[in-house]
Amino acid sequence: MTTPAQLPVLWICGPSGVGKSTVGWEFHRRLARAGIASGFVDIDQLGICYPEPAADPGRHRMQADNLGAMVAGFSDAGARCLVVTGVVDAGRGVYADRMPGVALMVCRLRADPETVGLRFLGRGSPAGLVEEVLRDAAALDTSDFADTCVDTEGLPVAEVVRLVGERTGGWPGPGGLRPVRLPSPAAPVPAPVPPPAHPVLWVCGATGVGKSAVGFEVYQRLLGDGETAAYVDVEQLGLCDPAPAGDPGRHRLRARGLAALWATYHRAAGARRLVVTGPLEDEGDLSAYAEALPGARFTVCRLHAGPRELAARIARRGRGEGWNQPGDPLRGRPAARLREIAGRAAASAAAMEAADLGDLRVDTDGRTVAEAADAVLAGAGARIP
């Protein structure tokens, strides 16, 4: 039952490749179109920290802790409900006990094994993992932790979204429309304790410049060097519609989430390096994050690309190529709209150039992701020892 101190959360789970993120994002957008302020979280984004704790294989507890720490921020930002997508522990389900501020409903998506395998491979996933994915799918089919299940076999996304709404009884219902107090005055939720001062490398730049792809490559290089490190795409921490009042850029919401994740990564896994990607238009945008992570040693690396290169990359994103992220604002947009976005991106890049934003600048024109990551590490190496 939903209480005044809980936020309604719909967790859409299922095996890899079944369509969780696509269905969840469309469900979130349907709520927004209906005038229901909603947040969206892809749970996989809340556990990008390696090596994983030995006592938490799959990092399911880590992800639940992070989600539980973030719900107050979404509520304070005006969200009346939260849609979550992602994998769960096939044997145990969701670690709801680690999310006291949540009124949880779980909807499982399924498909036949052959379909799951084809969808998994169709998104470019490694063929060597198919057997593991099919084992998880079989285990989920025998589980009973979900409140409801939707069979996606042969159905378009829109029909699956409709069925999710139907099977969940019109979730979030009236409780999703009432103001929700999180935390309640009688039971305050303590703010996450930030870890000691550690280096934070922030990779920023204009839309389409390749922030996420390059930043994630840098993070993987750190892991390859034996570091215990974490990666956060802050745009994934602020998917809330409409934008919070007084926070149109969603920087305060994202900063609150970043502080929660970094505290968990340091506490649970001993992470000592943090790579962040996300937009920073000027030095003022960084202030919200510096305040949320007191003592952190930020190094801001700005990626740059010329107008022609930005336009080409934005066009590729529009076609569904390149870095894949839930809620990608470019994917599937008409060509005319993509050209408009590219024009704004070029103007933004020029403004950053004029302001000399960041501690270092890396030109990505004509460079592969790996080559751009090499340049970032070469320039930032002395700052992130």
Side-chain angles (χ1 to χ4, degrees):
M1 173 181 288
T2 303
T3 73
Q6 289 181 306
L7 187 71
V9 170
L10 174 63
W11 192 313
I12 299 175
C13 66
S16 296
V18 78
K20 302 179 293 296
S21 295
T22 301
V23 170
W25 180 253
E26 288 303 315
F27 195 91
H28 161 69
R29 295 302 301 147
R30 189 178 79 161
L31 293 172
R33 289 192 295 269
I36 300 174
S38 170
F40 175 87
V41 171
D42 182 330
I43 201 67
D44 294 341
Q45 299 289 327
L46 307 190
I48 308 179
C49 181
Y50 290 89
E52 65 184 19
D56 186 21
R59 301 176 304 285
H60 298 296
R61 285 195 290 270
M62 176 188 289
Q63 292 168 340
D65 287 343
N66 280 333
L67 182 62
M70 290 176 61
V71 293
F74 275 101
S75 180
D76 288 349
R80 301 281 66 85
C81 57
L82 184 62
V83 178
V84 177
T85 64
V87 297
V88 299
D89 186 324
R92 187 187 188 281
V94 178
Y95 284 77
D97 56 313
R98 306 182 83 92
M99 301 179 289
V102 161
L104 182 67
M105 177 171 284
V106 179
C107 177
R108 180 170 65 85
L109 303 184
R110 73 161 309 280
D112 294 343
E114 182 179 1
T115 300
V116 169
L118 288 173
R119 290 179 184 174
F120 180 74
L121 293 174
R123 67 184 194 184
S125 302
L129 296 180
V130 170
E131 194 171 315
E132 179 182 342
V133 168
L134 293 181
R135 281 199 302 269
D136 287 344
L140 286 168
D141 273 343
T142 62
S143 68
D144 61 359
F145 62 81
D147 297 290
T148 189
C149 178
V150 173
D151 193 324
T152 69
E153 191 68 33
L155 298 179
V157 171
E159 178 62 10
V160 176
V161 170
R162 187 192 69 78
L163 286 173
V164 169
E166 179 182 283
R167 302 281 172 81
T168 57
W171 186 94
L177 302 176
R178 292 197 302 266
V180 183
R181 294 182 293 107
L182 280 174
S184 68
V189 176
V193 178
H198 282 313
V200 177
L201 175 63
W202 191 301
V203 180
C204 70
T207 298
V209 77
K211 300 182 289 294
S212 297
V214 173
F216 193 75
E217 177 70 16
V218 169
Y219 158 69
Q220 291 185 307
R221 300 284 185 86
L222 293 176
L223 298 182
D225 290 340
E227 295 283 358
T228 302
Y231 169 83
V232 178
D233 179 343
V234 294
E235 288 191 275
Q236 293 293 313
L237 307 184
L239 297 175
C240 184
D241 292 303
D247 186 20
R250 298 175 173 85
H251 290 297
R252 287 200 292 274
L253 173 60
R254 294 168 179 169
R256 190 167 176 175
L258 179 62
L261 266 63
W262 184 220
T264 299
Y265 292 154
H266 180 74
R267 181 186 68 250
R272 300 180 60 251
R273 300 287 183 271
L274 176 62
V275 178
V276 178
T277 62
L280 293 174
E281 293 294 330
D282 52 47
E283 295 289 350
D285 289 345
L286 187 62
S287 61
Y289 303 96
E291 182 178 340
L293 276 68
R297 305 195 303 273
F298 284 91
T299 296
V300 177
C301 176
R302 175 171 53 88
L303 304 183
H304 179 76
R308 182 175 297 181
E309 185 67 26
L310 287 174
R313 294 177 187 177
I314 287 171
R316 288 197 293 270
R317 283 261 300 276
R319 295 192 297 267
E321 301 172 16
W323 185 260
N324 185 23
Q325 62 179 357
D328 188 339
L330 304 182
R331 185 179 293 263
R333 292 294 186 98
R337 177 63 173 154
L338 293 172
R339 287 193 294 270
E340 179 185 332
I341 292 171
R344 289 205 303 269
S348 175
M352 293 179 196
E353 284 280 272
D356 195 25
L357 178 68
D359 300 296
L360 54 120
R361 172 192 181 277
V362 170
D363 196 326
T364 65
D365 276 338
R367 278 177 162 157
T368 65
V369 168
E371 290 168 343
D374 287 339
V376 170
L377 286 167
R383 296 172 179 266
I384 53 170

